[in-house]
Amino acid sequence: FPVTITQPEESKKVTKTVPQTTPKAQVDTNALKAAAGDFAAVATGTAQDIVLENKDIKVTFTTHGGKIKQVVLKNFKTYNSFAANQNTPLTIYDESFDKVSFELPTTKGKIDLYKLYFNQVQVNKNADPAKETAQSISFALTLANGQQVAQTYTLAPSGFLLDQQVKLTGLDGVLKNESVQFNWSENVQATEKDLNENRKATVNYLLAEDEEFDQLSENPSSANDATLDKPLTWLSFKKKYFLSGFITKNQPIEKAQIWGTPNTEDSAIS
């Protein structure tokens, strides 16, 4: 990856200020800034990658959106990797096949946090991933008059859970009194020997009321969907043996629209 922050043997905090320079690629920066409304100052920038890992997973973050870019399961691999006698770890989440957005309702329209550039980064990580201490990374973007959006991720010494906290400061006159919208679309990758079994990937969820569990039908040949009007405690993309999901912490998801569409012709993606 382009950028990782290395540490000495003892963990320490590192604060980085990421320069807000325009990428070399041809982009209409004026249009980006206009669409970003009150967040125009952080609508353009240069993305940098930062890695946290414990003994079970390796997580790559990016300053573009202050979001997760990739998650690798260090002690698992796909069937194809196993058959080829390779030690390539299994990638359970990647921005190339997981598309997410985090939309804030503002007085000038919806703003996707994951399209903005977070220009302040603070990292608390271990030089040795096996060290038994939690690690964290905080992204922040600061606007006029001290207005700020901050996202903090905390990774335990072991296991597969990554905690995320979002803090909004001084945005009362910018935000509308409406719900935040989180969108997540995944093209499920082939990890098993039998692609038909791989295409039985589904979305499952837990309703907050009475902790009622349910899921979309595991149908490998036809699309299906569901509108969930009751609050949800969590939902996940379930594959044959692996899943990636979103678990609420302080309050449930108010409602959700979920769907699954199998691709029966693609030999690489189900």
Side-chain angles (χ1 to χ4, degrees):
F1 301 102
V3 177
T4 57
I5 297 177
T6 57
Q7 302 282 2
E9 292 184 0
E10 295 298 323
S11 65
K12 68 176 185 178
K13 289 186 177 180
V14 175
T15 301
K16 292 176 66 67
T17 299
V18 182
Q20 294 300 296
T21 56
T22 304
K24 294 181 180 180
Q26 293 290 325
V27 294
D28 187 344
T29 56
N30 290 331
L32 289 174
K33 291 179 179 180
D38 293 300
F39 295 85
V42 289
T44 60
T46 300
Q48 291 185 297
D49 293 353
I50 303 167
V51 174
L52 291 184
E53 60 181 308
N54 62 18
K55 64 182 182 180
D56 295 305
I57 63 174
K58 178 180 178 180
V59 186
T60 301
F61 301 88
T62 174
T63 57
H64 185 200
K67 63 181 182 290
I68 301 167
K69 183 175 182 178
Q70 184 186 69
V71 179
V72 171
L73 305 183
K74 298 167 67 172
N75 302 309
F76 296 89
K77 50 189 176 182
T78 66
Y79 173 80
N80 288 339
S81 179
F82 166 77
N85 198 28
Q86 298 174 341
N87 291 319
T88 306
L90 189 150
T91 300
I92 190 69
Y93 178 100
D94 190 277
E95 66 175 9
S96 65
F97 54 81
D98 284 282
K99 305 300 181 183
V100 295
S101 63
F102 193 118
E103 298 178 348
L104 294 180
T106 77
T107 56
K108 298 179 181 179
K110 291 184 178 180
I111 297 297
D112 183 2
L113 280 186
Y114 289 164
K115 289 184 178 179
L116 304 178
Y117 287 84
F118 286 70
N119 51 13
Q120 299 171 56
V121 182
Q122 187 177 75
V123 183
N124 183 7
K125 68 182 293 186
N126 301 324
D128 180 3
K131 193 171 182 179
E132 294 295 315
T133 56
Q135 305 173 79
S136 64
I137 181 169
S138 296
F139 298 93
L141 59 83
T142 303
L143 307 176
N145 303 319
Q147 297 169 319
Q148 188 180 75
V149 177
Q151 297 187 84
T152 299
Y153 301 85
T154 303
L155 180 64
S158 62
F160 306 91
L161 291 179
L162 180 68
D163 182 80
Q164 178 188 14
Q165 292 186 332
V166 180
K167 183 179 180 180
L168 309 176
T169 303
L171 296 175
D172 292 345
V174 176
L175 299 180
K176 296 172 67 175
N177 187 25
E178 297 177 2
S179 298
V180 169
Q181 184 169 320
F182 182 78
N183 304 298
W184 184 359
S185 175
E186 178 176 301
N187 285 328
V188 180
Q189 303 298 288
T191 58
E192 314 303 328
K193 181 179 180 180
D194 187 336
L195 282 180
N196 193 53
E197 286 296 312
N198 211 96
R199 292 190 179 102
K200 291 182 179 179
T202 185
V203 179
N204 52 24
Y205 52 89
L206 185 71
L207 297 175
E209 184 179 357
D210 298 326
E211 295 191 342
E212 180 184 347
F213 173 84
D214 207 344
Q215 66 181 37
L216 291 179
S217 172
E218 294 185 1
N219 191 324
S221 60
S222 63
N224 54 98
D225 62 84
T227 298
L228 308 175
D229 293 323
K230 294 182 179 180
L232 310 174
T233 302
W234 57 258
L235 59 83
S236 69
F237 291 97
K238 175 187 174 295
K239 279 71 79 170
K240 179 71 173 180
Y241 297 109
F242 305 96
L243 60 82
S244 50
F246 185 89
I247 305 170
T248 61
K249 189 173 183 179
N250 297 320
Q251 56 184 342
I253 301 169
E254 292 182 2
K255 57 184 178 180
Q257 178 71 40
I258 60 176
W259 66 90
T261 306
N263 185 347
T264 58
E265 298 180 356
D266 197 326
S267 61
I269 300 177
S270 63

